[in-house]
Amino acid sequence: MKSEETPFEGGPMDGRVLPVLLGITGHPPKTYRIPVPDPHGGPPTVLVYHRVPRTPGARTGLSRRWKYEYDPEGKQSRRLNWPWSKPDATPQGKPDNSDG
């Protein structure tokens, strides 16, 4: 597998550069989570970093290099919303055929 030296900014990992595995597209993951064990044996703390462009590319919106910025709130990244995974699978305006 291919990896890329990726810098981290902010938080406890500020200034460090780690080799991060690249995905099929050749980019590192959008979110990088680092579990830090609790010294007292409690649940681990998870540091959350989000991928951002390191330097803008020659064309607008294109970047070949990435870095990770610290997210102190640890927000979840947006996941894909598949129509069949919603709690209410019946589209609005259409009757439910289960009524006898």
Side-chain angles (χ1 to χ4, degrees):
M1 297 201 86
K2 193 172 181 182
S3 65
E4 178 180 298
E5 296 291 323
T6 308
F8 286 75
E9 290 186 356
M13 298 292 291
D14 190 33
R16 296 190 185 185
V17 178
L18 297 176
V20 177
L21 292 177
L22 303 179
I24 296 171
T25 61
H27 299 292
K30 290 182 181 181
T31 304
Y32 196 86
R33 290 177 175 79
I34 304 170
V36 179
D38 184 55
H40 305 292
T45 303
V46 178
L47 304 175
V48 178
Y49 286 82
H50 293 286
R51 181 185 76 185
V52 294
R54 189 184 312 182
T55 55
R59 298 182 196 169
T60 306
L62 296 179
S63 174
R64 291 186 180 179
R65 311 289 286 183
W66 301 96
K67 65 181 177 182
Y68 283 104
E69 287 185 350
Y70 180 62
D71 182 3
E73 296 177 8
K75 297 177 189 172
Q76 292 289 338
S77 60
R78 184 173 175 260
R79 296 201 172 239
L80 292 175
N81 294 324
W82 299 106
W84 53 85
S85 63
K86 293 182 181 179
D88 182 19
T90 304
Q92 291 186 3
K94 292 190 177 182
D96 188 6
N97 291 337
S98 65
D99 295 335

